[in-house]
Amino acid sequence: MKRRTFLALVPGGLLAAPHAVQAQQAAKTPRIGYIGTITPATPEGLKTWEALLQGLREQGYAADRTLAIERRYLEGKNELASTFVAELLQMNVDVIVTSSTLVARTAKERTSMIPIVFIGVGDPVRDGLVASLVRPGGNVTGISAQYPELQAKALQLTREALPRLS
């Protein structure tokens, strides 16, 4: 190979290398950390779980295909909240979703970076989860069981947290 040919090819190869590496990187799969109070083995737990999956499907997400869901259940053992939150944070989930005030509070105490979405908790303002329902502030948001007309908002909030992942 002649020197001129070699010198002409090297810069082109160096300029193309970043594009080749970028093209080979796999897209990151968003990960939801879900901590429920009861398992889907119960009728109420199954109803909640299926509603979450259906809402995600309606927003274009499919569990095990376009996102991963790491699930944990308290099953009446509230002392597990701290352990489960720590596990999900160690796994670097992209958002934590819960129907438990205790879990939402524990997650809020442990991270200010990962979005936390609560579903159907009591009074999030009184419980110190958010500053107000209109402007929750921080990384915690969701809907209250005291305001059932806002139930559909929970899936929208989860969806808003997910696009930041891509």
Side-chain angles (χ1 to χ4, degrees):
M1 177 180 283
K2 293 185 179 182
R3 183 172 185 254
R4 283 188 182 176
T5 305
F6 177 76
L7 291 175
L9 291 175
V10 169
L14 291 175
L15 290 173
H19 299 291
V21 170
Q22 184 178 12
Q24 292 175 5
Q25 292 176 348
K28 181 179 185 267
T29 300
R31 295 175 76 185
I32 294 176
Y34 176 78
I35 302 177
T37 54
I38 53 178
T39 70
T42 66
E44 185 179 334
L46 182 60
K47 183 178 176 181
T48 301
W49 179 246
E50 287 179 345
L52 176 64
L53 293 178
Q54 178 62 33
L56 289 168
R57 278 192 297 272
E58 289 172 4
Q59 299 301 319
Y61 296 99
D64 300 327
R65 286 196 325 215
T66 59
L67 61 85
I69 304 175
E70 298 293 338
R71 300 188 282 173
R72 307 287 187 276
Y73 298 97
L74 297 177
E75 298 185 75
K77 299 174 185 169
N78 290 340
E79 65 275 9
L80 293 175
S82 182
T83 301
F84 290 164
V85 168
E87 287 176 6
L88 295 178
L89 293 176
Q90 187 173 2
M91 297 171 87
N92 293 319
V93 296
D94 298 296
V95 62
I96 294 175
V97 177
T98 186
S99 58
S100 164
T101 300
L102 172 64
V103 171
R105 188 180 304 117
T106 302
K108 180 182 178 185
E109 291 168 359
R110 297 272 182 100
T111 182
S112 61
M113 301 301 293
I114 296 175
I116 301 162
V117 178
F118 55 81
I119 302 170
V121 302
D123 185 340
V125 176
R126 182 194 68 221
D127 294 332
L129 296 175
V130 298
S132 75
L133 293 177
V134 177
R135 300 199 190 284
N139 62 322
V140 183
T141 190
I143 53 120
S144 170
Q146 293 183 344
Y147 308 99
E149 64 275 7
L150 299 177
Q151 295 291 327
K153 187 76 173 166
L155 287 171
Q156 177 189 348
L157 295 170
T158 302
R159 183 172 186 261
E160 288 174 6
L162 288 174
R164 293 184 218 143
L165 311 176
S166 41

